[in-house]
Amino acid sequence: DTAVSQTPKYLVTQMGNDKSIKCEQNLGHDTMYWYKQDSKKFLKIMFSYNNKELIINETVPNRFSPKSPDKAHLNLHINSLELGDSAVYFCASSHGPGGTYEQYFGPGTRLTVT
Amino acid sequence: GESVGLHLPTLSVQEGDNSIINCAYSNSASDYFIWYKQESGKGPQFIIDIRSNMDKRQGQRVTVLLNKTVKHLSLQIAATQPGDSAVYFCAENSPSGGGADGLTFGKGTHLIIQP
């Protein structure tokens, strides 16, 4: 069974569109994250959610909004997509505060904005 | 600002040799460090971690060394195999009030194993 899964794996869309990426974890973790990896492989935290509360919101545009319907899911919604949003987006999860902090990553979603 | 960085972007080693990947960090408050391996087209995969109250930790074929005096972290891979070819990231989880922090990643080192 996949621990952290993301859909879709590839997403190609035009500028100005709105899209969503879904993430699910079956590890029973309390905290989930979204990371962005650019073309130079640099990984940067975007958001984290702990028990459905936003813990971190790095300086990302408000066009990006995480939504967590329950502890096992953290979806990423992106409005008015721009060329610069093209990247690979990774979902991750961990036990959260007081835990080991080891984060388990999903396979990634490669977003291409044309 | 605070950052985690790597000394070399690419490291090429012969199959069977030992590899050492280095990482410098600047946040003296960091208390947890992790090494991840990322193969092409996949997400980062946990390799080994170490807390700031330790200076060495060993896993299967891997060893992480932490030198808090000079803020240096290294990953040693023994008897490298073709499957070790990947990009390796060091990351730190600096403490904050919330506790549920994301990781700050270094830039990555591409390890190439030559036959």
Side-chain angles (χ1 to χ4, degrees):
Chain A
D1 287 341
T2 303
V4 182
S5 59
Q6 296 177 226
T7 55
K9 186 167 177 64
Y10 300 97
L11 183 56
V12 181
T13 188
Q14 293 182 328
M15 287 176 56
N17 286 347
D18 303 336
K19 291 293 180 183
S20 296
I21 306 172
K22 294 184 178 180
C23 177
E24 177 181 4
Q25 54 96 3
N26 61 8
L27 299 167
H29 286 166
D30 293 324
T31 307
M32 297 183 70
Y33 312 81
W34 277 105
Y35 287 85
K36 179 180 180 180
Q37 186 171 47
D38 62 23
S39 59
K40 296 183 179 179
K41 294 285 190 179
F42 187 66
L43 271 162
K44 186 172 182 180
I45 181 73
M46 298 176 70
F47 303 104
S48 75
Y49 254 74
N50 177 266
N51 290 325
K52 301 182 68 174
E53 292 186 28
L54 181 65
I55 302 298
I56 300 174
N57 184 346
E58 294 288 310
T59 54
V60 299
N62 57 14
R63 298 181 295 104
F64 292 80
S65 57
K67 296 192 189 303
S68 180
D70 54 57
K71 196 174 76 169
H73 296 84
L74 183 64
N75 303 323
L76 183 64
H77 296 271
I78 315 171
N79 296 324
S80 302
L81 279 156
E82 301 178 358
L83 292 175
D85 297 333
S86 295
V88 181
Y89 293 83
F90 288 100
C91 177
S93 71
S94 71
H95 282 292
T100 63
Y101 301 110
E102 177 186 339
Q103 294 184 17
Y104 293 81
F105 283 77
T109 296
R110 181 175 293 277
L111 172 64
T112 303
V113 182
T114 62
Chain B
E2 305 289 3
S3 65
V4 176
L6 297 174
H7 293 309
L8 296 173
T10 302
L11 178 63
S12 183
V13 299
Q14 293 290 124
E15 183 177 350
D17 287 352
N18 297 333
S19 302
I20 299 177
I21 301 172
N22 295 303
C23 179
Y25 67 94
S26 57
N27 188 349
S28 57
S30 295
D31 64 355
Y32 183 62
F33 305 87
I34 309 174
W35 281 99
Y36 280 91
K37 171 186 179 182
Q38 186 178 23
E39 297 175 275
S40 180
K42 297 183 179 180
Q45 179 185 5
F46 173 86
I47 301 174
I48 192 168
D49 58 1
I50 189 168
R51 296 203 176 273
S52 58
N53 60 353
M54 303 171 67
D55 54 20
K56 180 179 180 179
R57 191 168 187 216
Q58 289 185 294
Q60 188 175 16
R61 284 202 306 120
V62 294
T63 300
V64 55
L65 299 177
L66 175 63
N67 186 330
K68 294 180 289 293
T69 302
V70 295
K71 298 177 186 172
H72 185 266
L73 193 68
S74 69
L75 175 70
Q76 301 177 1
I77 305 174
T80 51
Q81 304 168 357
D84 294 330
S85 292
V87 177
Y88 289 81
F89 294 94
C90 65
E92 61 181 327
N93 189 350
S94 302
S96 74
D101 293 342
L103 294 169
T104 299
F105 278 81
K107 292 184 179 179
T109 293
H110 187 192
L111 178 63
I112 299 172
I113 309 301
Q114 296 183 342

